[in-house]
Structures are given as C-alpha cells and as structure tokens.
Amino acid sequence: MLGWRDERLLADVLPAKEAKALDKAFGYTTCMDLLQHFPRAWSRHGSDVLADDAAEGDMITCVGEVLSIQDFQRDKRTVTQVSLTDGRTRFTASFFNARYIQHYLRPGKRAMFSGKLRFFRNTPQLQHPDFLVLPGPGEKMAGSGSMKTIALYGEPDDLFAGLEYIPIYPATAGMASWRIMAAVKHVLDTLDPVAEPLGEAPEGMPGFDEALRGVHFPGPEGPEPHKERLKYDEALTLGLVMALRRLETLRRDAPPLTPVDDGHRAGLLAALPYELTEGQQQVITDITTDLDSGDPMSRLLQGEVGSGKTVVSLVAMLQAVDAGHQCAMLAPTEVLAVQHARTLTSLLADAGLNVSVVPLVGSMPVPVKRQALLDIVSGQADIVVGTHAIIQDTVEFFDLGLVVVDEQHRFGVEQRARLRSKGREGLTPHLLVMTATPIPRTIAMTVFGDLAVSTLRELPGGRRPIESVVVPEYKPTWVRRAITRIGQDVEAGRQAYVVCPRIDGPGGVLDLFEILGQGPFRDFHVGYLHGRMPADEKDLMMRRFASGEVQVLVSTTVIEVGVDVPNATVMLIRESELFGVSQLHQLRGRVGRGGHESLCIFHTFAEKGSDADQRIHAVAETSDGFALAELDLLHRQEGDVLGTSQSGAAKTVRLLNLLRDFPIIDRATSDATALVERHPLLAQRLVLEIDRVDREYLEKS
C-alpha cells in the first residue's frame, strides 16, 4: 500500500496452523498480504448479503435467513435440505447424514454459508457448506467447519461482539470467510497505529490508519468512507508513478525540430489530394509545437481505424527529417511494418518527395538487413520502419530525433525507453505513440498518464458506416444466409475476411479453410493466414489478398491491426463471444475502408439473453469506439485492463473501479501532479515503497 508496509510474517503473529492455511489458500505470508484481502461485502446487523454475479462452481460466502428445514432419504443417505433466502433469491443448502443441523439452523435464524455454488432447475444450491449461525444478543456462536480454528484466537463469541457490520471475504473451500475474519481481526489487534503516509489525510477523507481498520470492521458510518480513502491511495499510486515519469522526461533535453517553410513537411501538406479533418489539423498543430519546444515530446494519439493517424505521424516525421534528424517507426508485426513502409513510401512518392524509408524486420535476408543497418548508422535512412528488430543493440542510428510507436498497447514502457535511448548522447528523441483502440479516460489518466493525449474522432470523407449483424448458431438459416451474402459480395468483385478464434480444431482457420474452399466458396480463390506461418509466407498471403488475387481470407486475429485492403467489404467473425469488445471493434474496422457498403457478421454460439449475447449485440449496435471502450472496461477485471494477470496489476488495483471511480481518479491524478511539484522527494519515497512486483508491472504496462 502507498507509503505503508507491514512485513511481519503471519507465522509470527497467527497460530501456526492458520498461517500455514492462509499461505496454502492465497499465498499470503505477511500481515500486509492479509490486510489487503478486502471484504467483498458487509452484512449490517446480520442482514442478508447477496451472492451476485457468482457462476456455477464458484466458492461463495453469503448471509441468508432460514425459511424451512426438512430431512429425506436418498440413496440410503439422510439429506437435510435447508431452504434459505438472501433477500431476493431463494436458495438451498443440502447436508448429508447431518441431522444435528436442525439443532442450529431453525426457521428465522440468520447464518453465513460458505460453499461451492451449483444450480438445480435454475435454483442455486450449496452442497454441504460450512455455516456459522450469527448469534443474537446473549446467544452463543454455533456452526460447522472452522469453529475450532476461531477458538485459537480466544473466545469465539468475541469475534462478533459489538460489530455493526460483518465483513464477507472472498473465500476458498478450505478457508471460510469467518476464518479469514478472525485472522484479520487478530492482525489488526496487534498492529500499532499507522502514521499518516501523506503527512495529513486528504480533505474530507479518514486517515489511513482509520481507513485500513474501518474497511474491515466499519463502525456506524459503514465501509464506504474507508473504501473511498483506500481507492484514493490506489489512484494516487498510479498518479505519482506517471507524474514522476513526466518529470523525469522533462528533465532531459530533446533536439528542437523547428518546422521549415519550404521543407518536406510543407511539401506533403501541399500535395495531399484531400482536406485534412479539423481534428488532424489540431493534432498536427499540437505536435508541431511539442517538437519545436526543446523538451521531449511524449504524446499519445488515439483515433478510430481510418481516422488518419498515419498521415499525422508522417507530417511529424518529416518535421524531424527537415531538421536533419532520423525517425523510427515501431510496429507490432512484420506484416504491419512492411505495410507501413509501403504506405509511407507511396505517400512520399505521390508528393514528389525524396525521403528514404527503410524497413527493418527480423525475417529479412542477411545481405538486405546488413545494407539496412548500414543505411541507418550512416544516416542514409531518413525513416526506419520495423518491428522489435529496431530495438536490438545491433541497430545504431546516426541521429535519431523522433520515435513513433504504432499500436501502443502491444509495447511496454521498457521497449519504448530502449528505442528512445538510441538518440545522440545527451539528447532524448521525441515520442509519439498511436493506437486505434479507444482508451477510456480513466485508463488514459492512469496507465498512460505520462503522455499527453490527442484524439481523432472524425473519419475522413468517403467512409461509410459499417452495417453489423449478429448471427447465432441456433438459427442455421441465418448462418446459411450469411455465407450466401459473402459469396454475393465476392461475385460482385469484392473481397471477404473470415476470422476464426483458433488455428486448429473445429471452427479453426485450417478447418474452415477446407470447408469453405471445398464447399460454398469452391469457385473462389480462398487463402488462409495465421500466426504460426513463417513471416515470408504471411507477407506473401497478405500481398496476394491486397492485390485481389485471394478473394476470401480465412484468418486468425493477425489481421486485427493495420491490414488495409479497401476492396474488402464483408467480414464474418466466427464465435465472436470469444473475443473482447475492443478486439471485435478493431476487427470490424478492417472492412469499409474503400467507400463501398460494408457488412460485419458476428457469428456466435452464445445462448440467447446471456451476458455474452448481450455484449455482442451491444458491439453490433454501435460504431462509437469510445462507447465500446467503456463497455469493454465494464466486462473486464481491472487487472486485465491494466496488464496481464501475471503482471501484479491486481495487487496495484484492488478496490478502485476504473469505470465508475472517475471522480476519485481525477482528484488523485491532480493531487499527484501537485505533490510531485511541491514535494518530489516525498513522492519518490512513496513510490519506492510500492511492491517490487507492482513496480515491474507499472514499468511494463
């Protein structure tokens, strides 16, 4: 946690059995680990607590009132079935050969139940759960499972004494919520008052010590003020890392790239055969000012597929070339790198500009790569376009002035930093990162908080909206009609994508390539593309599709980023429920790029009305990438949004909701900037105390 650590070992504070059980259940070894295991809900005065959003097979803990209880025989066993309500939903708890249950669970009693969720005829069930009867005034605690372990901490009845809110913790089969509660209470009882890490509590919020204790065991005020303070600290953590990164960047010098009135930049702008959108013009103005300032530019350019980011980036690169510097453009795949090189070369040739564009990718023949490296180090290459190959130590630039990173989410801070380190000694190249995946504003403030953000919302003229339809597998007539529609477009001279969620197996690329190529599309030229193909074969297939030789391309998501075939007008995404919201939007953007009417077909096996079905229909019903980015965030865990599950992101963001907590994030981001300006040493100390795994995650996010 920000500015505070409790490195005491659980083995030194808790009974040995409990410390070992917490390590086995959650991997917790220190007191801080346990105190950051926050409740998921709170039961006030034993009130009912729902198990919302739980799926079959999940371990759940809930509070419910006993409605009835009865015994019956099944397979020579006595089954005691307890009917319960959690306030809105009736559910059952079944116990086998446990007639003693009726002594504890009587109608009207409230109890906590912890067990694995099952469904029988749509009724939620818990089979042989652990339970703990919530004691009324003057009553003794009773229950199953963890009673003996609770007694290790003292008198079990003391656990609930005086509690207005009972915390309900995420639990496991071997570690019930009330067992966790007893351990947390013991650790807090042995914890000395914690000094305020920020010097003084943020205005209107409780102090850190009060919040840490109150989030587990709230008083009459409830858990919300304590949650808000801890959420603020999480947001401030991210804000400080980004503010310090901005400060570090501003302390460096960058080559001033002053625009030239009669240079290549002016020549390109004069030669463009179309008017730039207002958004493009504004972003170019902002970038021009940044590049001319002498401070290193760090700017994120986000815009829908086809919004004109490539032209904006070329204008910026030509400003660097005019000032006598080289540019590097980093792309996530060889297919995209080669395509970018061709696009830039074509734009420059059409404008009559003599600017050298050199591709550099891993699969290039050795002699070609050797010549490219020579051109780069000698300064003959003005613009270098490549994959990770240009980050390698063997690549040396003559005078690198600007780095452009396409599809920012495919690269980490670490990789950007390595490329920026290739500038002349003492100078840091400017940085422009681009993404076609719209970024919710809370994510832009946190994960990309070290970058100034520019947004292109308008699409260039001539682009038509893409029609989208959902085709469920349970309507075979619709599926056949979708295949027919693809055939009609191809017969009319257009091209089509069929996107698959896998390479092998039923519904995979190789499977559908055979089925479509030998069946409904046997009269068309069908090709396939996937990530396991050698780079030269992938490039050849994309060239054949771009030229129109291949009419239907069956592919994985390798076509998600940057593939530009204006003649492609129809796309079928098979099993679309397996893709994320933003990914579906990105894939859809591969069609409709040539001014023709276009269609995206979302095929799905999802059941009607299911969450997946609703999500797919939401994507089909809107083409607003920013609205879909918010929807994507709603359907994903914060840790998944900020990074991968292995990254430690879940440890950085435990309570903060990146969709709903904008006011907290906005305040913390502003406060972090002010704190770095006023007390940079305090800010650095606070950040240094972030867990090592979290620091690694933040550096790679």
Side-chain angles (χ1 to χ4, degrees), residues 216-504:
H216 291 285
F217 300 104
E221 75 286 350
E224 287 308 315
H226 308 297
K227 281 178 64 180
E228 183 175 345
R229 168 61 202 271
L230 296 179
K231 286 180 179 182
Y232 173 87
D233 281 15
E234 290 181 352
L236 191 66
T237 298
L238 296 170
L240 286 173
V241 169
M242 298 304 163
L244 287 168
R245 192 178 289 159
R246 288 196 301 271
L247 179 64
E248 176 63 24
T249 299
L250 290 174
R251 285 174 173 168
R252 301 173 186 168
D253 293 322
L257 309 178
T258 303
V260 179
D261 291 339
D262 58 352
H264 296 101
R265 176 183 178 278
L268 175 69
L269 290 172
L272 288 175
Y274 49 81
E275 284 284 326
L276 294 173
T277 65
E278 287 186 19
Q280 285 175 309
Q281 293 177 34
Q282 182 58 55
V283 173
I284 287 173
T285 298
D286 293 341
I287 291 174
T288 300
T289 303
D290 286 351
L291 296 179
D292 191 28
S293 69
D295 293 323
M297 177 178 76
S298 294
R299 184 171 290 275
L300 169 66
L301 174 58
Q302 60 173 340
E304 295 278 9
V305 172
S307 59
K309 297 185 299 298
T310 301
V311 170
V312 170
S313 69
L314 180 55
V315 172
M317 287 188 277
L318 291 180
Q319 185 170 334
V321 172
D322 284 341
H325 296 273
Q326 294 171 292
C327 306
M329 187 178 211
L330 182 62
T333 66
E334 293 198 2
V335 169
L336 186 54
V338 171
Q339 180 174 294
H340 272 320
R342 289 199 191 107
T343 300
L344 297 178
T345 300
S346 176
L347 286 169
L348 293 166
D350 291 345
L353 302 175
N354 184 24
V355 177
S356 170
V357 178
V358 174
L360 182 64
V361 295
S363 65
M364 293 170 66
V366 173
V368 177
K369 185 182 291 185
R370 187 181 297 122
Q371 183 59 52
L373 293 172
L374 184 60
D375 290 343
I376 295 169
V377 74
S378 67
Q380 295 299 308
D382 296 312
I383 299 173
V384 182
V385 184
T387 55
H388 293 79
I390 62 177
I391 303 177
Q392 304 306 313
D393 293 338
T394 53
V395 181
E396 293 184 29
F397 286 82
F398 177 73
D399 192 355
L400 183 60
L402 172 64
V403 172
V404 178
V405 180
D406 193 27
E407 290 308 327
Q408 145 68 25
H409 64 286
R410 303 297 184 92
F411 301 99
V413 172
E414 200 175 74
Q415 292 161 312
R416 294 190 333 225
R418 286 187 64 185
L419 190 49
R420 288 186 95 171
S421 69
K422 293 181 177 290
R424 279 195 169 179
E425 188 173 350
L427 291 178
T428 297
H430 299 276
L431 174 69
L432 175 67
V433 298
M434 304 191 297
T435 181
T437 304
I439 300 168
R441 56 183 179 170
T442 50
I443 298 294
M445 293 168 70
T446 51
V447 177
F448 303 111
D450 59 327
L451 305 171
V453 180
S454 294
T455 302
L456 294 175
R457 292 184 178 270
E458 308 159 79
L459 293 182
R463 293 208 59 182
R464 297 189 183 186
I466 303 166
E467 182 186 358
S468 300
V469 296
V470 178
V471 175
E473 181 68 20
Y474 61 78
K475 292 193 174 182
T477 304
W478 290 24
V479 176
R480 289 194 294 271
R481 194 180 304 159
I483 298 298
T484 300
R485 169 60 193 271
I486 293 173
Q488 289 172 343
D489 271 36
V490 175
E491 285 178 348
R494 306 300 172 210
Q495 291 167 270
Y497 295 101
V498 177
V499 181
C500 305
R502 65 190 71 88
I503 299 173
D504 302 304

